Amino acid sequence: MTTTTLPKAHSSIVEATELPRIIKVGDNLYATAFSLMKLLPARYIIDRAEAAGVLTPGTPVIETSSGTFALGLAMVCGLRGYPLTIVGDSAIDQELRTRLEMLGTTVEIVEHTGQPGGIQGARLARVAELCRQRPDAFVPGQYDNPDNPGAYGIVADLIDGTVGAVDCLVGPVGSGGSTGGLAGALRPRNPQLHLVGVDTHGSIIFGTPDAPRTLRGLGSSIHPGNVRHSAYDEAHWVTAAEAFHATHELYRSHGLFMGPTSGASFQVASWWAAQNPGSTVVMVLPDEGYRYQSTVYNDAWLREQGITPAPAPGGGPVTVEHPLDAPPVWSRLMWARRGFDDVMMPGMTS
């Protein structure tokens, strides 16, 4: 008689969806495709806070996010009964706000008033104000909490067990959690692992001037503590038009219906894999595309923004020697595992 072992039921939707699928999309290119990547660090941070006794039943949770970390926290806190307040900005569209509020989240929207740190600085200032009103609150602190990158060890194990040795890891950089955490967990197995961070113009993470950004979900107007610059071998800046084109191409060519940060990651990773055919390349795709059907996948919205999705001129990046030299097209700098000041002011640091 043949016996069949049935898979066990997951304990929650969080457990069922927090890990990615590993998909081969080219001869030497693999996708680490998440449904909602920030669900993993949200769950991990809450777990660690509970284990440390910092988070107890009824403790209010306050955090700043305008994207998927907000949704991940809302799912975890909703299931565990923690009252959650999310401080965000106009990047929280009505669809996302509805999802957050249906999970019991209080959503506060702040505006950029010109203070240092841009809109993220304004959001952090409001979080600090709310914490003064509720000193018993727990703040996950995705930008600086080491449990954010620490959450990705399990994904590194999954990649190692599925793909084997990885030569190059490519991913978008916002809080620094996913790329930094994965590289930190994979490099003990392969110290030569090449780490490529994907950013966008107008983000200060890798040294370009702060400016409004149409491509959201990566980049920052602050320097997150979880971005360890000395971990990165290359930094790339991509434009919204290029990333949106790559997002569409990722779906057309591979059936992967993902968000624009995934498109940006695919844009850089597919080029890098083609340039290095003997290397095994893994790209991080942070979330699915359903949130972006009325924007990135909508021709009318793109026209309103004055954006025509198109590949970069020449099909590859312009290599520059300094972040301030990056033109307003796909650009690349060999970061070479240097500190931020070492790149910005070469020869001036000891």
Side-chain angles (χ1 to χ4, degrees):
M1 185 177 73
T2 302
T3 59
T4 301
T5 301
L6 298 175
K8 69 179 182 69
H10 292 287
S11 63
S12 71
I13 187 61
V14 173
E15 181 185 82
T17 58
E18 68 179 7
L19 292 180
R21 298 147 292 169
I22 309 295
I23 304 160
K24 188 174 185 180
V25 297
D27 291 339
N28 63 328
L29 178 60
Y30 294 82
T32 303
F34 289 85
S35 296
L36 182 65
M37 184 178 72
K38 293 295 185 73
L39 182 59
L40 176 62
R43 189 272 302 163
Y44 188 79
I45 288 171
I46 295 298
D47 279 354
R48 299 273 289 182
E50 288 176 339
V54 176
L55 195 53
T56 57
T59 300
V61 177
I62 302 172
E63 178 63 312
T64 172
S65 171
S66 285
T68 53
F69 191 64
L71 185 55
L73 269 181
M75 291 174 67
V76 175
C77 290
L79 289 170
R80 300 192 187 183
Y82 297 114
L84 173 65
T85 298
I86 288 292
V87 178
D89 57 51
S90 59
I92 295 184
D93 52 67
Q94 188 55 53
E95 290 85 356
L96 177 58
R97 183 165 187 164
T98 297
R99 294 177 71 181
L100 293 172
E101 291 176 342
M102 287 187 70
L103 289 167
T105 302
T106 299
V107 178
E108 286 205 18
I109 303 297
V110 300
E111 302 295 333
H112 177 28
T113 57
Q115 66 268 56
I119 189 61
Q120 280 150 319
R123 285 164 26 190
L124 287 167
R126 179 56 180 160
V127 168
E129 183 180 358
L130 290 173
C131 287
R132 287 192 291 271
Q133 298 171 11
R134 293 297 306 269
D136 59 330
F138 171 70
V139 179
Q142 63 163 323
Y143 297 124
D144 301 295
N145 189 336
D147 288 336
N148 179 0
Y152 291 91
I154 188 173
V155 181
D157 291 340
L158 179 62
I159 292 171
D160 187 60
T162 305
V163 176
V166 177
D167 298 303
C168 179
L169 176 69
V170 180
V173 182
S175 70
S178 58
T179 50
L182 285 170
L186 289 169
R187 275 190 174 144
R189 314 167 207 204
N190 176 17
Q192 301 308 311
L193 173 76
H194 196 83
L195 179 60
V196 179
V198 182
D199 200 357
T200 188
H201 306 80
S203 161
I204 72 169
I205 289 180
F206 291 105
T208 58
D210 189 27
R213 300 183 297 277
T214 303
L215 178 58
R216 301 295 297 267
L218 75 171
S220 180
S221 295
I222 61 172
H223 284 287
N226 279 326
V227 176
R228 290 193 309 108
H229 290 91
S230 59
Y232 294 88
D233 295 284
E234 296 183 33
H236 287 240
W237 298 273
V238 302
T239 70
E242 295 160 355
F244 295 169
H245 169 80
T247 305
H248 296 171
E249 189 61 29
L250 181 61
Y251 185 46
R252 281 192 293 258
S253 300
H254 303 289
L256 282 163
F257 188 60
M258 309 299 291
T261 56
S262 296
S265 184
F266 172 63
Q267 174 182 334
V268 174
S270 57
W271 174 84
W272 206 97
Q275 300 300 307
N276 299 271
S279 298
T280 297
V281 182
V282 171
M283 59 180 174
V284 178
L285 307 183
D287 68 338
E288 294 180 331
Y290 300 102
R291 181 185 166 197
Y292 312 97
Q293 291 182 92
S294 61
T295 55
V296 175
Y297 289 96
N298 185 284
D299 288 341
W301 181 86
L302 290 168
R303 285 193 299 270
E304 289 173 4
Q305 304 304 309
I307 295 174
T308 300
V318 175
T319 300
V320 298
E321 298 296 324
H322 192 277
L324 297 180
D325 297 331
V329 294
W330 179 10
S331 307
R332 165 191 187 231
L333 186 147
M334 299 305 295
W335 197 270
R337 304 194 188 187
R338 292 174 288 172
F340 183 81
D341 289 343
D342 296 319
V343 171
M344 299 304 295
M345 297 178 290
M348 298 295 291
T349 56
S350 57

